[in-house]
Amino acid sequence: METNGTGTTAPLRDVLAAARFAAERHKNQRRKGESAEPYVNHLLEVADLISQATPDPDPIVLMAALLHDVVEDAGVTSAEIAEQFGDAVASMVDEVTDDKSLPKAVRKQKQVEHAPHLSAGAQLIKLADKISNLRGVMHNRPVGWDEPRCREYFEWAKRVISGMRAPNPTLLAEFEAVYSQYRREA
Ligand code: ZN
């Protein structure tokens, strides 16, 4: 019988369980933009971007996409993810999680340096995450961000994505579209 990395035969059930887990753990968190959207909107956007851009979406990647910020932003441990959703999901989340003990500038530089080493699944998540974040900065600017800070964010995201070895073409095209739209408007 075919199974996914969590050892079950019900990938849709696993993906929904991950969505619910993420919604629960991020329930008190809002996006940084002026309209302060619920954080789960970002997670669903990232998972949906991946699902739309891949012909046969991998449930492991979709689960990791839904959970990609729970370690960094919601205090969940990698061990808890492994226990609930399997080692494959946990290690993919680890790949896209910054080490928060490091200063912010170092973390940002590490993302650039790690980009060429990301697995295929982690590249999908990182790319969709950056698309969602750039859309956020462009259409719903984070409170307190001035123009230079927004521009710096776009240029940094571009450096991260440029380092990827095999970015998904559909997502890359969307990233480029958002990036150039910003360049035109800025
Ligand atoms: Zn994110």
Side-chain angles (χ1 to χ4, degrees):
M1 196 182 292
E2 200 179 322
T3 63
N4 61 35
T6 61
T8 75
T9 55
L12 285 177
R13 193 181 294 153
D14 293 337
V15 170
L16 276 175
R20 187 177 175 202
F21 181 93
E24 176 66 27
R25 297 307 174 99
H26 289 282
K27 70 183 173 196
N28 295 321
Q29 196 183 352
R30 302 245 152 200
R31 298 207 74 190
K32 286 182 197 149
E34 275 156 7
S35 65
E37 278 182 71
Y39 202 78
V40 69
N41 289 18
H42 165 64
L43 308 170
L44 291 170
E45 183 183 9
V46 169
D48 186 48
L49 276 164
I50 295 168
S51 169
Q52 303 280 349
T54 48
D56 186 18
D58 180 351
I60 297 293
V61 178
L62 295 182
M63 284 190 278
L66 290 163
L67 298 166
H68 79 270
D69 282 327
V70 285
V71 174
E72 201 170 303
D73 294 332
V76 174
T77 64
S78 183
E80 188 176 2
I81 297 180
E83 191 184 316
Q84 297 228 15
F85 301 105
D87 290 338
V89 175
S91 72
M92 209 174 284
V93 172
D94 286 345
E95 278 191 84
V96 296
T97 297
D98 285 356
D99 180 351
K100 278 207 154 171
S101 67
L102 298 170
K104 189 156 193 181
V106 177
R107 280 174 9 219
K108 294 188 102 174
Q109 180 56 29
K110 282 204 175 292
Q111 283 203 32
V112 176
E113 290 165 10
H114 285 164
H117 310 293
L118 294 172
S119 68
Q123 287 181 67
L124 284 167
I125 296 168
K126 183 69 75 181
L127 188 43
D129 187 39
K130 291 286 181 275
I131 292 167
S132 171
N133 289 339
L134 293 194
R135 284 174 174 170
V137 170
M138 195 157 63
H139 301 302
N140 196 7
R141 186 186 283 200
V143 176
W145 281 36
D146 59 10
E147 196 55 44
R149 180 148 184 206
C150 294
R151 197 175 315 125
E152 153 60 25
Y153 189 87
F154 266 72
E155 296 309 329
W156 165 70
K158 175 92 172 159
R159 286 200 299 280
V160 174
I161 300 311
S162 302
M164 287 182 177
R165 288 188 197 278
N168 172 280
T170 306
L171 291 180
L172 186 61
E174 177 59 19
F175 178 88
E176 298 288 354
V178 178
Y179 178 83
S180 28
Q181 190 186 347
Y182 177 78
R183 291 292 296 254
R184 272 198 309 277
E185 289 174 7

